[in-house]
C-alpha cells in the first residue's frame, strides 16, 4: 500500500449505506486507513471493520465533545457532517481496556483531548477527566494517543492546556501519539514533537494557504497525512462528502509545500505511520 489516512471515520453513520464500497475503494486506491472511534459504539465498529479488512486499523476512545450532551449545529460540525446531539458518555476505562485487548488491530487510544468550541467550566472539567483517563490507559497498554485539540476562537488555549496535561505524564511511560488536524503555531508543534508526538494535516491545507508555513517547518520524520473524513473535503472535491481515498490530495499538497517528490513523500509518511503505530 502506498498511502495512509491516519485519521478517518468510516465508522460513522454517514457511511452506513455504502460503507463496503468505500472500503473497497480505499483498497483499490492503495490507501491504508485508521478509523478512529469517538465513543463506545463508533469505537466498536472501527474494531469490527479492522478485524475484517487487512488494510484497516482502529483507534478507540472518547471524543471530548461526547463527554457532555449538546446539540452540535452545522456551523460547528462544518461541511460534510450532519448536525447531531452528543451523548454524555463517561470514559469507562474497563470497557475500553477490554476492547483494546480484544484485537491486535487496535493501534491507539482516542480521539481524546480538549475542545473549547464551547468553553464552560462544566465541559472543561468533564473533558479533562476523560482525557486524563485515556492518557493513563494508553500508558498502561503502551499505545499511542490520537489527540483532538480545538481552541476557542482566536486563541491557542486548548493547546496550552493539552500540553500542560501531557507534561504531567511525560515521565510516566512511553508517551507518544498524533496531534490530529493540527492548527497551532510552529512553536506549539515543536512542543508536541518534543513530547513524542507526530503532527498531521487534513484536506484543509489544499484550500487554506495559512497552513503552508506550518507544514514547511514540521520535520520530515514527524509528519502524517489524514482526511478526518467525512469532514474537511480537499480540493477539488469540496462540497462533497469526504472519503479516505482523498488522502492522496492531502499527501500531494504536503509534497508540493515541502518541494519533495510525491512518491518519496508518500514513502516517508508511510514509514512514520508504521513506526508510530507499529503497523505490520
Ligand atoms: Zn476525527
Amino acid at each position: 500500500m502506498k498511502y495512509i489516512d491516519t485519521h478517518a471515520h468510516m465508522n460513522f453513520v454517514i457511511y452506513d449505506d455504502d460503507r463496503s464500497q468505500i472500503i473497497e475503494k480505499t483498497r483499490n486506491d492503495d490507501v491504508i486507513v485508521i478509523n478512529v472511534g469517538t465513543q463506545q459504539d463508533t469505537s466498536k465498529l472501527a474494531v469490527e471493520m479492522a478485524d475484517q479488512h487487512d488494510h484497516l486499523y482502529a483507534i478507540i476512545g472518547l471524543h471530548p465533545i461526547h463527554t457532555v450532551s449538546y446539540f452540535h449545529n452545522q456551523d460547528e460540525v462544518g461541511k460534510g457532517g450532519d448536525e447531531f446531539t452528543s451523548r454524555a458518555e463517561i470514559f469507562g476505562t474497563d470497557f475500553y481496556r477490554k476492547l483494546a485487548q480484544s484485537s491486535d488491530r487496535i493501534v491507539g487510544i482516542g480521539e481524546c483531548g480538549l475542545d473549547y468550541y464551547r468553553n464552560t467550566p462544566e465541559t472543561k472539567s468533564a473533558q479533562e477527566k476523560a482525557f486524563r483517563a485515556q492518557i493513563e490507559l494508553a500508558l498502561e497498554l503502551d499505545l499511542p494517543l490520537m489527540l483532538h485539540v480545538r481552541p476557542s476562537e482566536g486563541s491557542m488555549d486548548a493547546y496550552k492546556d493539552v500540553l500542560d496535561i501531557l507534561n504531567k505524564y511525560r515521565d510516566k511511560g512511553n508517551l507518544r501519539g498524533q496531534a490530529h488536524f493540527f492548527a497551532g503555531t510552529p512553536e506549539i508543534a515543536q512542543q508536541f514533537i518534543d513530547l513524542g508526538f507526530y503532527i498531521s494535516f487534513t484536506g484543509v491545507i489544499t484550500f487554506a494557504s495559512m497552513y503552508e508555513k506550518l507544514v514547511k517547518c514540521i520535520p520530515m520524520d514527524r509528519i502524517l497525512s489524514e482526511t478526518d473524513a467525512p469532514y474537511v473535503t480537499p480540493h477539488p472535491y469540496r462540497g462533497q462528502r469526504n472519503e479516505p481515498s482523498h488522502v492522496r490530495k492531502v499527501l500531494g499538497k504536503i509534497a508540493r509545500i515541502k518541494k519533495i517528490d510525491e512518491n518519496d513523500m508518500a514513502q516517508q509518511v508511510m514509514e512514520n505511520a508504521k513506526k508510530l503505530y507499529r503497523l505490520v
Side-chain angles (χ1 to χ4, degrees):
M1 291 289 204
K2 182 173 174 185
Y3 300 98
I4 182 155
D5 181 356
T6 57
H7 186 117
H9 301 289
M10 282 196 282
N11 45 343
F12 280 9
V13 288
I14 200 163
Y15 298 106
D16 276 359
D17 293 337
D18 60 350
R19 183 168 294 114
S20 47
Q21 288 100 298
I22 294 281
I23 291 173
E24 235 5 76
K25 191 159 178 247
T26 53
R27 187 198 297 279
N28 295 334
D29 288 336
D30 238 5
V31 180
I32 292 174
V33 185
I34 301 177
N35 286 302
V36 183
T38 51
Q39 51 192 324
Q40 293 192 356
D41 50 2
T42 54
S43 293
K44 266 207 288 208
L45 184 53
V47 178
E48 277 169 36
M49 291 161 66
D51 280 336
Q52 287 161 12
H53 303 274
D54 59 12
H55 69 299
L56 305 183
Y57 295 89
I59 288 182
I60 58 167
L62 178 61
H63 193 291
I65 65 166
H66 287 292
T67 56
V68 176
S69 182
Y70 269 115
F71 179 68
H72 299 269
N73 64 21
Q74 201 71 61
D75 286 346
E76 178 177 357
V77 175
K79 278 208 173 66
D82 293 329
E83 300 178 331
F84 67 98
T85 301
S86 55
R87 271 170 276 168
E89 182 180 313
I90 293 176
F91 183 76
T93 298
D94 289 344
F95 171 88
Y96 285 100
R97 182 191 290 114
K98 235 185 232 156
L99 185 58
Q101 291 166 338
S102 73
S103 166
D104 58 6
R105 311 289 300 164
I106 297 160
V107 295
I109 299 292
E111 55 182 297
C112 58
L114 302 174
D115 189 314
Y116 287 174
Y117 186 83
R118 283 198 178 78
N119 196 353
T120 67
E122 185 206 8
T123 55
K124 265 187 158 173
S125 74
Q127 289 185 11
E128 180 175 342
K129 214 168 151 205
F131 183 33
R132 294 181 78 122
Q134 288 176 90
I135 297 171
E136 284 158 23
L137 183 62
L139 292 176
E140 176 196 321
L141 300 173
D142 191 22
L143 287 171
L145 286 163
M146 177 64 78
L147 298 181
H148 169 99
V149 188
R150 185 178 192 175
S152 51
E153 218 178 322
S155 159
M156 288 289 153
D157 49 5
Y159 281 109
K160 190 191 164 292
D161 289 356
V162 162
L163 284 164
D164 284 348
I165 293 168
L166 289 173
N167 265 301
K168 296 194 176 105
Y169 291 92
R170 71 180 308 163
D171 301 319
K172 301 224 160 88
N174 188 10
L175 186 68
R176 64 199 190 281
Q178 172 175 350
H180 132 77
F181 205 146
F182 190 76
T185 63
E187 295 71 33
I188 290 172
Q190 192 55 51
Q191 293 179 57
F192 279 103
I193 289 168
D194 292 344
L195 276 168
F197 283 77
Y198 290 64
I199 307 292
S200 69
F201 297 99
T202 65
V204 73
I205 66 168
T206 66
F207 56 83
S209 58
M210 58 187 267
Y211 283 90
E212 295 205 4
K213 194 180 141 219
L214 188 59
V215 172
K216 240 179 230 162
C217 70
I218 306 300
M220 282 294 279
D221 63 351
R222 288 302 183 93
I223 198 162
L224 293 171
S225 56
E226 60 158 313
T227 61
D228 200 19
Y231 311 115
V232 284
T233 310
H235 173 80
Y237 306 109
R238 290 187 76 191
Q240 303 170 24
R241 183 187 65 176
N242 200 3
E243 55 182 81
S245 288
H246 295 338
V247 79
R248 294 172 297 172
K249 298 291 174 196
V250 180
L251 192 280
K253 181 71 184 198
I254 294 175
R256 282 198 299 286
I257 293 173
K258 288 198 163 287
K259 297 192 169 65
I260 284 163
D261 174 77
E262 199 175 315
N263 292 322
D264 295 343
M265 194 71 228
Q267 208 181 338
Q268 174 73 53
V269 164
M270 185 64 80
E271 252 172 56
N272 296 346
K274 283 188 168 168
K275 190 170 173 209
L276 173 62
Y277 292 112
R278 295 177 181 157
L279 308 182
V280 285

